[in-house]
Amino acid sequence: MDLRQLRYFVGIVQAGSLSRAADQLHVAQSAISHHLASLESELGRQLVTRGPKGILLTEAGGVLYRHAEAILRHVEFAKQDALNVLNVPSGRVSIGFPVALASILATKLFVRIRTAYPQILLHLADGNSAVMRERLDNGRLDLALLLTGKPERGLAVEPLMLEEMFYATADQDNSPIRIADAARRPLLVPGPGSGVQRDAREAFEKHGLSLEPIGECDSLNTMRELVASGVGNAIMTWSALHSGDPRLTLNYRRFVDAKMVRPVSLCFSEMGLRSPAVEAVALTLKSLIRELVESGAWQGVTLIAPDAEPSGSLAHPGEPKPDMAGRSRNLGPAINRNMKNGNGHRKGRD
């Protein structure tokens, strides 16, 4: 077993077929097939099965794929460390965000990294938090912001903040709302596997209420469109309210008798090595988050002190910092024209 075989095997898995892997790796398909057969012969196990829609990993193939990803990444880190003898972080760094957080952080992070560390090639990804976790596990991401606050097997978790969840609506009423009143109105939630639905259900049950949504929607952009059109209301974080088309007019209201918060942590795979470039991106991201929150540009967020344990999803960690000194900095003119805070004032006019 050698590095070339592992590279070809990883290429096959990521491409989904031998022919696409051959094209992407710029080698003959016969060479790809030969190295795959050699690996299977050496291990005495079938690694992939072939079907009409491409290849599928066997159980043995899945185990080898995880190790191969880690091995190749370690080799790349070794090269980067040798090149970093002058303490100049360099190389490729992949970072993942949940969709709502990407809209707040991704562009600003990219600009800062490009300015401060031009030798770093930053790869940005966003999607469902579970998908980002899976990519961390298989080595396709070096670090990610995940919606978790607890240590998990195979994952190094550094809690960063708690995001408050609000009642999002197209109604013009901006006053705080009782959770019982929210329960009587049409409510849209993400699917059963989402943290938002889980936390909302727990909050409703705590008040003797049942969560009976009129529908479920996993697409954040579609959810915002449905709320803006008055079809239903939703429970969202401030970052989710700002995701998607800024022309959509959404109001948000605080819950007067409940506080739902979700933890956000910076996470690394325990199998991965943290190169100087990965550490530089992590430190830059943490600095960016702190600046946005402390300036009021990112509202409804409580920063977690280093080494502090995050509270549970329905805890009362103290009042977040939604209206820093009664002001908020602009994230963009369109947002400030359309978004209203929970006190009934348009941002930028407080």
Side-chain angles (χ1 to χ4, degrees):
M1 188 181 300
D2 59 33
L3 290 177
R4 177 181 295 178
Q5 290 175 321
L6 295 181
R7 287 194 180 97
Y8 286 176
F9 176 63
V10 168
I12 291 170
V13 175
Q14 294 182 350
S17 73
L18 272 67
S19 59
R20 284 197 295 271
D23 290 340
Q24 293 174 9
L25 294 170
H26 306 292
V27 296
Q29 185 172 337
S30 58
I32 294 283
S33 300
H34 170 74
H35 284 290
L36 176 60
S38 296
L39 272 178
E40 292 181 326
S41 176
E42 180 177 349
L43 295 172
R45 297 286 188 277
Q46 186 176 5
L47 299 177
V48 300
T49 58
R50 297 165 179 82
K53 295 185 178 180
I55 62 100
L56 296 173
L57 284 171
T58 64
E59 185 175 355
V63 172
L64 179 62
Y65 176 69
R66 290 193 295 272
H67 284 290
E69 277 273 351
I71 290 168
L72 294 175
R73 188 164 291 277
H74 290 180
V75 170
E76 184 61 30
F77 282 157
K79 292 180 180 178
Q80 291 176 14
D81 284 347
L83 294 172
N84 286 338
V85 291
L86 298 178
N87 295 321
V88 178
S90 63
R92 187 174 186 271
V93 177
S94 296
I95 181 169
F97 301 91
V99 174
L101 299 184
S103 67
I104 297 286
L105 296 169
T107 300
K108 292 180 175 62
L109 177 66
F110 188 91
V111 171
R112 292 196 179 194
I113 293 298
R114 182 63 183 161
T115 301
Y117 305 102
Q119 290 90 348
I120 292 178
L121 175 65
L122 188 63
H123 172 81
L124 302 172
D126 65 58
N128 180 276
S129 189
V131 173
M132 296 299 103
R133 166 66 198 269
E134 181 182 350
R135 292 184 181 180
L136 264 183
D137 288 340
N138 63 31
R140 298 180 71 179
L141 291 176
D142 298 301
L143 67 165
L145 285 180
L146 299 181
L147 306 180
T148 182
K150 300 177 181 178
E152 297 183 26
R153 184 177 179 181
L155 202 65
V157 177
E158 182 179 344
L160 295 182
M161 57 188 169
L162 297 169
E163 276 198 295
E164 184 179 358
M165 289 185 281
F166 302 96
Y167 180 77
T169 178
D171 295 341
Q172 295 304 306
D173 184 1
N174 297 284
S175 62
I177 185 171
R178 295 175 58 84
I179 197 167
D181 293 332
R184 286 192 290 268
R185 303 182 182 193
L187 191 66
L188 296 158
V189 296
S194 72
V196 170
Q197 181 174 148
R198 181 192 64 241
D199 293 344
R201 195 173 297 278
E202 290 178 2
F204 277 44
E205 291 174 353
K206 184 178 179 181
H207 287 75
L209 305 166
S210 60
L211 179 65
E212 298 179 358
I214 63 169
E216 297 176 344
C217 180
D218 288 331
S219 167
L220 181 56
N221 285 338
T222 302
M223 178 79 83
R224 295 181 76 250
E225 291 174 2
L226 290 169
V227 173
S229 64
V231 172
N233 308 293
I235 295 175
M236 293 182 174
T237 61
W238 195 84
S239 58
L241 285 159
H242 285 73
S243 300
D245 188 345
R247 293 172 297 180
L248 293 177
T249 301
L250 296 181
N251 296 332
Y252 65 88
R253 303 171 65 180
R254 283 196 173 81
F255 291 101
V256 69
D257 53 352
K259 180 166 290 184
M260 286 175 276
V261 295
R262 69 177 186 182
V264 179
S265 297
L266 183 59
C267 300
F268 307 82
S269 170
E270 290 184 342
M271 293 183 63
L273 294 178
R274 300 189 198 179
S275 69
V278 171
E279 293 289 357
V281 171
L283 289 173
T284 304
L285 175 62
K286 288 188 284 186
S287 175
L288 172 61
I289 290 172
R290 179 168 295 277
E291 287 181 25
L292 290 174
V293 173
E294 292 184 345
S295 70
W298 189 355
Q299 301 184 27
V301 175
T302 301
L303 295 174
I304 297 175
D307 302 323
E309 290 294 329
S311 303
S313 62
L314 299 178
H316 294 259
E319 188 68 23
K321 302 175 182 177
D323 299 305
M324 302 296 293
R327 295 184 178 273
S328 62
R329 289 190 182 176
N330 294 343
L331 287 180
I335 289 177
N336 285 311
R337 284 196 300 270
N338 295 323
M339 296 300 299
K340 296 182 180 179
N341 66 23
N343 298 318
H345 300 293
R346 291 188 182 273
K347 293 179 178 58
R349 299 182 184 176
D350 292 2

